[in-house]
Structure formats: C-alpha cells, structure tokens
Amino acid sequence: MLLYILKRLGLAVLVALTVSALSFSLLFMAGDPAISIAGENAAAEDIAAITERYGFDRPVLVQYADWLVSAARGDLGRSWYFDLPTTEIIGDRLGVTMTLGLLAICFALLLAIPMGVAAAVKPNSLIDRAALFISVVGQAIPSFWFGLILIVVFSIKLGLVPASGSSSWKHFILPTVVLGYYATPAIMRLTRAGMLEVLSADYIRTARAKGLAPRKVLFKHALRNAIIPVISLAAVQMGFMLGGSIVVESIFALHGAGYLAWESISRNDLPVMQALILVFSMFYILFTFLADVLNAWMDPRLRVG
Amino acid sequence: MIIRNLLAGTALFASVSAPAFADKASDTVNMAFNKELETADVYFNTAREGLLLNHSVWDGLLYRDPDTGEYKGNLATEWTWIDDVTLELKLREGVTFHNGEPFNADDVVFTVNYVTNPDNGVKNMANVGWMDHAEKVDDLTVRIILKAPFPAAEEFLAGPVAMYPDQYYAEAGPTGMGLQPVGTGPFKVTELEPGKHFVLERFEDYFGGPKGKAGVAKVDIRTVPDTNTQIAEFFNGTLDFLWNMPADQTEKLDAMGKYQVVNAPAMRIGYIAMDAAGRAGESPMTNQKVREAVYHAIDRQGIVDALVKGSSIVVDTACSPAQFACDQSVEGYAYDPEKAKALLAEAGYPDGFDIDFYAYRDRPYAEAIMGFLGKVGINANLNYMQYSALREKHRKGEVPMTFLTWGSNSVADASAITSEFFTGGPQDDARDQEVIDWIESADSTNDKEERKALYSQALQKITKEAYWVPLWTYNVNYVMSPEMAFSPTDDELVRFFSFGWK
C-alpha cells in the first residue's frame, strides 16, 4: 500500500511539473507579459521599463528555472497584477471555491443517486424517463443562462435570495444549484447503469430468495456495490468544479479560484497562474486518491489488489 | 459571446418587477466595477477604475473644471512659470490627510521625487516622467522642475498626479497604500478587499476646494464581472448606478421608462492603422492610393448609427475632439465605394487583394468594417486577439492593417495620442519625418498658438496621406436609479463627489 501511494505521488509530481512547464511557455507564447502588466493605456517607455524590471528579455527557459527554484523553496512569488503575495491571494479565493465545490457535489449526489436508483428499479418506466429528461436538460442548459434564469426567478421576482456576492450562506444557494445540476447527469447515469447491472446479478436474486426486505436488498446489497464507480466519478467532478466553476463564479460575482485563474490568464499574471495550477493539480490528486481509498474501504476486492 | 448576451438579455428583460431603491435613506450609492482593480495605489494601476478612485480619494495640485476646461487651484492655490522648466506653486493652508497628517511642501516634494525615480517603478511613467524633481522653497511653496518644456504640465497636475502623505507613504509603500489608501480627497476609504470591494465614506474635514464636499455619505463598490448580473442587481435595487453599459442593454433599460439613462462621450477614439512604412514587408498598404481607397470604402456614419450609437460622432482627425489642439477642420475622405474601386484600379489592384486584418475589441465593429472593405474587393482576414498579443505584434511591425482604439488616459491634450503613435516609436506605422518633427516641436513649446498650428499641420498630413482612418469617438452609457442626481461629464471620469440625491 505504501509503495502504491508513493508511486502515485511521484506520478502526481511529474504531472504537475509537466503542466506547469507547459502553461509557463504557453503564457509567453500568448503575448508579451510586460504589455499586459503595463495595461491598455501604457506608453512605450512603461513597457520597456517593466520588461527590464521583471527580466522578461531573458530566455523563457531561464525564467522557468528561476520560478522552479523558488517554488521548490516554497516561495510562490508575488502576483504581477496585484503585487501581493500569491499565497495570500489564492488562500483568499480558494475558500469560496472549496465551499461552492463541496456544496455543489453534495447537491449533485443528493439529486442524482436517488434518481438513478429510482430509474434502475423501474427501467423504461415514467420515472426512468423523467430522470433521463431531468439529467439531459442539466447537461444541455448552458450554465450562464440557467444561472440568470434562477436570478430572475428567485432573486428579482421572488426576492428570496441575493443575486450575487458571497457574504452570507444565502449567496451560495443559486450557484450551488447551477454548478451541482451540471454534474448531475453523469452521476445519475452511472448510478442507474451500475444499479441495473447489480440488480440482475446472482447474489441479488439469492438475497431476494432468502426473503430479505426489498429495501434492504436495494440499499445494503445493491447500492453499495453500484456506487463504487460513482465515488471515483464524483472525485473527478469535484476536481473539475474547482477549476471549472469560472462561468458560475463570474455570473454570481463570487471571486473564487476558478474566476481568478481565468482572469489571471487574460492578465498574463504568471505567478498566480503557476501557483493555481499547482494547487489545482494537488487537489485533483488528493481527491482521486481519497476516492481510491474510499473505494478500497467499500470494496474488499480492491484492498487485496 | 453575442449569443450569450442575447440569451441573457432576453431572460433578464422578460420579467422585471418594480424596483425598490432604498439607498437615498441610507445615503449610500451602491455601484459596481466590472474588472478587478489591481491596487488602489494610483501610481501602480492603469485602469479607468483606478482613475475614478484617484479623483475621489486624492487631490491633485490643480483641478480642471470639466464644464469649462479651465484649470483651477486645488491643493495649490497659485502657480507661476519661473521659466520654461520651473513651475512654482503656492500650497493651500490647513489641509489634512485622512490620517490626520497635515499637508505641506514636504508631501509634494516626497511624492514627486518618489514617483519620478525609475527605481520605484511606477506603472504609468508617461504620467510623471516629464517631471525631473521637486524642491521645497518654504513650508507652503514648492517648485517642480521639468526635464524639458512640457506644455501639458497643468493637465497632468490636474489629472493623474495625486499628492501622497510623505510620512505614511514612506512607511507603508505602494503595497500599504494599495491596501489602506490615505489621501486628502473628498472620500476616505474605510473598507477594502483587494480587487473585490471598496467602501468610500465622506471625509468630513475635507477642505472643499473646486471639488466641493462629497454629496453622498457613502459609495459602496463591488466587483461584479457580468453585465447581466449587474443589471439584475440594479433591478433588485442593490445597485444604484451602472456605467459602461453596452448600447443594446441601455436601449432596453431606457425603454422601460423607469430609470435615468445618460449617454456621454468618452475621450477614446477608434481608428484603422495601416502599415504605410512597409514594416511588415511589401504590402498594398504602402501605396497611398490604396489607403485612400480604404478610407473611401468604409461607411463610418453607417456603423456609428447602427452599432456604436449614443453620442458618438465620426472623426477625421487622429485624436479626440475633446483634446486641446485636436484640429477638427481636417478634411477626410468621404464614403464613396465607387471612388474606392477606381483608386484600387489606379493603384494596380483592379480585382482587389487579400490582407490580414487585426482587431482586439468590438468584434461587431471590426466585422462591419470588413464587410465594407469586401464590397470594394479588399478581402480582410480577421485575426482577433488579446490586446497584449496584438500590441506586441504591432510593436514588432508585423501588422499590415488593424482596428485599434486609444483612450488617452483622459488627458485632454492631443499629445496624449499623437506623441504615442506618430513620433517614430514602435507603434508608428507612418514613420513620416515631417510629421515627427512637427509633433516633437509642438511637444516642447509652451506657446499655445504655436502648438495648435504645429499639431494642425501634423494632423492634416496624417489624414491626407491616410496613415490612419480615424473612425469615431466612443461613448459611455450611465444608468441610474430614479432617486440619484448626477450629471456625467465628457471625460469618462465618474466624479463620486458629484453624486447626490433628488
């Protein structure tokens, strides 16, 4: 098990390094960072001064090595845009994104698993069709539009929740629904497929034949087995939500890490970008790792392997 | 993006209940920035949002009356030119900073000497680089020494050059100032989350001066990046003031009849730059007839009427009509597609040609331009890119034809645009020695009439040779709650201290 963890960690570090090197060079290819730092109205002499101060005239490889050495020492530098320590900015924004991501994944699981189970118990029934419809709609509606519709109905019309911001728990309700709904279809489909497969397995027939209560068969025997791949999927979705909630964060003015990443790209704010990539890959690795452990705990067969 | 806005706009406007603006009671104007401001320290940001804070939280030595264009004393009460490069200023007595520090000559000397020192790395060197240093004469008298004669000095002292408290800034530096700004202005900053939230409160001990005391007790600014969300908040009454609204959304808001909608011109102009000097290699653009044909081909008034709208006007001079010495008598080439075709034929392109066309904003305008060019046989291939990427390419001289804009940092002097693009710098596609000489001598003389004459000559030639096709001025839409009283000015500077209630 220890060797397995170490191997995975080693792989993870390699992945993070590759991604960071790639993004570093891509950002330099996308445009001169000095011009973005200087801003739209900057004069030629400002750009020249910034190029010199930040050393942008050096080869990209040298600049990357520089960054790598300080990062290895734990120094992620200062944001070129905000001129504040990168860790300070990211720490501030990560809380919002983590809260939103966790809420959204919980919302998605709570909505998708019961729907998936219900659909599998009575395949091709009205319930199945309804579940399919709800999930297809979730996949098809663009989140910026869905978000605005929710704002129109629940904020402007009914006045139940605020439209944007992050200063209270109420502010998180609409974004959670939008982001969580988007993750629902995949989880629902996987739960349904898993349940269908498990329900036709021999041991379920045996359990039923033993005269176990249908509810016990369904939840204790069937769902527990069907849900294992769902956990892995949820972990992947969670990772996606951390970096991929850009649209939702922008509509609801949430100032999270996803929006920060998006803005940092257009500002060519390399230190923040690099640090975010590092943080995102770490979380992604952590989540998939946790999912593996959870799976092993739930499925004894995996523990042996 | 367009589809997105259409959908979103429809969603929003389809259902709107009665707004409940309640902020007159709390004497607070709630408004939004749509981008994250990098820092509140005015010398280290380049954004319009920063300029707005600058004018409300700090003061310049002078003040330009937006209605008359006249310069008035602000932190200085009198100023005289000792010679071409020495300006002596008498300072106002009894002014204090928000932190209680008294304002005097030491603050001016410190600020000027700090920002002009290249080691301190202020972002907009063009705003301060014309000053060499400042000297204290006595407690309330200073001299600013220029590097060379600089006719726009008063404009800059009334604009971007804010006065900082010497003791506080020496200690806090740009980072501290960015997190906890201290100025002499009509508002003090009481709450600040970097990039996200700014709360300004009326500075009760403000000296008044030409700006006067703030008309509202509080201005609460949040960053809300999405325009549609801003409108939703406005409907909810949680925002009272929208600015920079797109023309289509503004029209809908106006049609609802419940809100105050004001359109004001901005200093920004749009233009097409063409590689007349052949920096990107041999191209049709080096031929003056071709450039004239481009000028004739585009129905600029048509684009203004259909897309740009508002108070925008077509311009034929390579600067903003709101700028000093921007001669509006310059005659351009009228919309005449037949003439354009004839000129292309004369130039040896009877069947037109293909060309790379670059743009970075206002894609619908760029596409309209391409449509008109296509009608006379010029097939423009659009390369739409990020501003920084396009600017870099342009600076390297790799752009044969591009649609660009320039806002001049709200500096009301033609030099803020011509000196950037027609004095042989990296973005000068004309490289016309005569034009360079005229502008450079205009930039170094203090005689207003002489400057006007020199600029006029340069601007005439720029248009006559069709180095640029000046397009139109931009405009800004402001939408306000029915209770607010505010008249926007023509310089795109929202003066928070002029906010009030009806």
Side-chain angles (χ1 to χ4, degrees), chain A residues 264-283:
Chain A
S264 299
I265 294 171
S266 57
R267 296 169 190 149
N268 275 19
D269 193 350
L270 219 130
V272 172
M273 267 316 297
Q274 291 296 96
L276 277 172
I277 286 164
L278 214 64
V279 171
F280 285 154
S281 14
M282 288 305 164
F283 272 112

Side-chain angles (χ1 to χ4, degrees), chain B residues 37-43 45 50 53-58 97-101 162-165 168-169 172-185 187-195 197-201 203:
Chain B
L37 180 65
E38 54 263 56
T39 170
D41 187 325
V42 298
Y43 292 107
N45 70 55
L53 288 185
N54 181 351
H55 281 255
S56 289
V57 177
W58 287 275
F97 285 96
H98 300 149
N99 64 352
E101 220 182 297
M163 287 301 130
Y164 277 7
Y168 178 72
Y169 203 53
T175 310
M177 188 60 114
L179 294 171
Q180 208 172 4
V182 172
T184 56
F187 283 102
K188 56 184 180 186
V189 179
T190 52
E191 212 185 312
L192 190 155
E193 293 172 72
H197 191 200
F198 306 87
V199 180
L200 314 183
E201 280 179 39
F203 180 40

Side-chain angles (χ1 to χ4, degrees), chain A residues 59-143:
Chain A
V60 175
L61 212 62
V62 176
Q63 297 186 51
Y64 180 63
D66 247 20
W67 177 82
L68 210 57
V69 170
S70 355
R73 279 201 228 105
D75 174 14
L76 290 174
R78 287 173 85 83
S79 159
W80 290 346
Y81 186 75
F82 288 106
D83 195 31
L84 293 169
T86 303
T87 38
E88 209 171 280
I89 297 167
I90 293 181
D92 180 41
R93 308 291 172 105
L94 212 55
V96 172
T97 301
M98 290 292 282
T99 314
L100 179 61
L102 282 171
L103 286 172
I105 202 76
C106 288
F107 175 82
L109 289 171
L110 284 176
L111 186 68
I113 294 178
M115 274 202 322
V117 173
V121 171
K122 291 203 171 128
N124 299 322
S125 68
L126 205 63
I127 296 176
D128 189 15
R129 290 286 148 81
L132 184 72
F133 176 75
I134 292 173
S135 68
V136 165
V137 168
Q139 192 90 75
I141 294 186
S143 46

Side-chain angles (χ1 to χ4, degrees), chain A residues 46 81 152 155 164 251 267, chain B residues 15 36 125 229 233 236 392:
Chain A
D46 300 324
Y81 186 75
V152 168
S155 180
S164 69
I251 289 175
R267 296 169 190 149
Chain B
S15 58
E36 296 184 325
M125 212 52 197
T229 312
E233 294 280 12
N236 273 353
E392 185 187 7

